[in-house]
Amino acid sequence: MKNIDWSNLGFGYIQTDKRYVSDFKDGKWDDGAIIDDATVRINECAGVLQYAQTVFEGLKAYTTEDGSVVTFRPDLNAERLIQSAERLQMPTVSKEKFIDAVEQVVKANIDYVPPYGSGATLYIRPYIFGTNPVIGVKPADEYQFRVFVTPVGPYFKGGAKPITIRVCDLDRAAPHGTGHIKAGLNYAMSLFQIVDAHNKGFDENMYLDAGSRTYVEETGGANFLFVTKDNKIVTPKSDSILPSITRRSLMIVAEKYLGLEVEHRPVAFEEVKDFAECGLCGTAAVISPVGKINDHGNEICFPSGMDEMGPITKKLYDTLTGIQMGRIEAPEGWIHKIK
Ligand SMILES: *Cc1c(COP(=O)(O)O)cnc(C)c1O
């Protein structure tokens, strides 16, 4: 195992020894290989540089209680990468190729998988981008599918501190909330509002639907999950938000493991003040509690969860991480064993 101070890792990029690369040319993908070079060399006019043809995924490898190394529902990341690539007129990789690449790159960097109980995990970043020169507006003909890994620390150090978010104006927020895909361009277009939120003391933006400005969409990189005062789970349904695998898994955990009622439906912003707990769901944080939402000066505070996670959020967090770390039996097909 590498000599890394696992329990003091943050959420950042650490270069590891190996990465997976496969190239698409003349209408097909090559077999792919594990390589040493962390630097990508592409033409100055590459499609990704001119017209932002790049899509990505994010998942994690975990060391479980019994010492195995596993990933969590990688088939869903493969499906979503396919949807993202299709939306940007890029070639897709099959589910089999995706999972094979993930397995190869994790095995090649097995010394970087943080130990059980350290709080750290191995973050896996698969992505596809256009590589050949494109000057007229059209899709590239050649692409690269690459997967690198980087060990990351827990999102929360010393307990979960709730965050404060703000309701974001539409101006310069597009096309977040019109995306439904994990693409570099969606993130690039959200950076202005993220930086502006941070400058004004907020951790994240809450995006409302672009059409009517009355329904809750998501934040920059996570879906919302609310808990009602009578312990029902409510998550916003919308065609324009990114379908979070964590959120979909938490909905099943809530229903099947905790016996809670779950509603997946449009959520009016008007309703938000009546919820008991609010969390943000994503691979990085699992579920991170929101303490306060600022709507242009009007504050909504969530009474349970101002100082720490609310009780239902905590149960959801503990159950899902228990499943991922092998302490709680997983539903069929959720855990993909690599070693
Ligand atoms: C990745 C992402 C999420 C979280 O999805 P997970 O599959 O749970 O990691 C939510 N919203 C956006 C915009 C994202 O890019």
Side-chain angles (χ1 to χ4, degrees):
M1 196 176 283
K2 294 285 169 180
N3 184 20
I4 293 174
D5 185 6
W6 304 108
S7 38
N8 284 311
L9 279 177
F11 200 91
Y13 172 75
I14 294 174
Q15 191 175 308
T16 70
D17 296 339
K18 309 282 180 184
R19 62 275 308 128
Y20 171 95
V21 176
S22 178
D23 288 306
F24 182 91
K25 204 178 168 172
D26 301 327
K28 58 180 192 303
W29 291 105
D30 67 16
D31 287 340
I34 293 290
I35 64 162
D36 293 332
D37 193 355
T39 302
V40 179
R41 271 182 68 86
I42 45 175
N43 184 274
E44 61 192 357
C45 194
V48 60
L49 299 178
Q50 306 310 322
Y51 301 120
Q53 262 190 311
T54 177
V55 294
F56 67 97
E57 271 304 321
L59 65 163
K60 283 170 167 178
Y62 309 85
T63 304
T64 61
E65 197 170 25
D66 71 1
S68 305
V69 173
V70 305
T71 53
F72 182 73
R73 309 187 77 183
D75 51 318
L76 297 189
N77 293 98
E79 276 171 18
R80 203 169 56 186
L81 187 69
I82 290 168
Q83 290 162 11
S84 297
E86 281 173 347
R87 180 67 182 77
L88 293 194
Q89 286 290 309
M90 301 166 69
T92 58
V93 295
S94 68
K95 227 183 237 193
E96 293 70 34
K97 187 177 180 77
F98 180 93
I99 291 175
D100 172 58
V102 166
E103 281 186 3
Q104 283 195 46
V105 76
V106 171
K107 282 182 182 157
N109 292 287
I110 203 79
D111 294 347
Y112 287 96
V113 185
Y116 175 77
S118 64
T121 51
L122 190 72
Y123 186 71
I124 306 165
R125 175 52 65 93
Y127 56 119
I128 307 174
F129 52 97
T131 51
N132 69 301
V134 178
I135 196 73
V137 179
K138 62 179 173 66
D141 303 309
E142 295 173 13
Y143 294 84
Q144 187 161 99
F145 171 44
R146 221 171 157 99
V147 190
F148 69 79
V149 296
T150 182
V152 294
Y155 210 76
F156 298 124
K157 282 221 168 80
K161 267 279 170 216
I163 60 172
T164 299
I165 65 179
R166 67 161 185 190
V167 176
C168 187
D169 293 321
L170 201 54
D171 178 44
R172 287 185 266 201
H176 238 290
T178 61
H180 197 72
I181 56 167
K182 241 174 153 58
L185 73 92
N186 284 358
Y187 276 81
M189 293 302 276
S190 74
L191 293 177
F192 181 92
Q193 290 293 356
I194 294 260
V195 171
D196 190 56
H198 289 171
N199 287 343
K200 292 175 177 152
F202 301 105
D203 298 292
E204 257 293 358
N205 290 300
M206 169 187 264
Y207 297 103
L208 302 180
D209 76 289
S212 74
R213 314 284 302 141
T214 50
Y215 289 97
V216 176
E217 295 265 280
E218 61 170 335
T219 62
N223 285 183
F224 280 104
L225 183 150
F226 300 103
V227 183
T228 64
K229 285 176 183 145
D230 53 357
N231 293 349
K232 236 188 264 167
I233 304 298
V234 180
T235 68
K237 186 174 186 168
S238 160
D239 289 340
S240 52
I241 64 178
L242 202 277
S244 158
I245 294 163
T246 313
R247 189 257 303 154
R248 286 182 272 165
S249 304
L250 286 169
M251 286 167 65
I252 294 168
V253 164
E255 201 169 346
K256 299 278 186 297
Y257 286 71
L258 305 177
L260 302 172
E261 213 176 300
V262 177
E263 288 179 3
H264 185 46
R265 58 167 175 82
V267 176
F269 179 68
E270 260 307 296
E271 291 178 64
V272 170
K273 61 179 186 332
D274 298 323
F275 291 125
E277 298 177 37
C278 172
L280 304 181
C281 327
T283 296
V286 183
I287 181 164
S288 70
V290 174
K292 225 187 256 181
I293 299 174
N294 187 304
D295 176 24
H296 303 88
N298 297 320
E299 286 193 339
I300 298 172
C301 297
F302 296 97
S304 50
M306 281 294 280
D307 300 314
E308 52 185 25
M309 277 193 193
I312 300 290
T313 305
K314 178 91 169 73
K315 270 190 200 164
L316 287 168
Y317 179 90
D318 288 345
T319 310
L320 186 59
T321 51
I323 289 168
Q324 289 167 334
M325 301 290 173
R327 295 186 296 266
I328 296 174
E329 194 177 337
E332 174 88 33
W334 278 22
I335 299 299
H336 182 85
K337 189 168 168 168
I338 291 182
K339 193 205 90 171

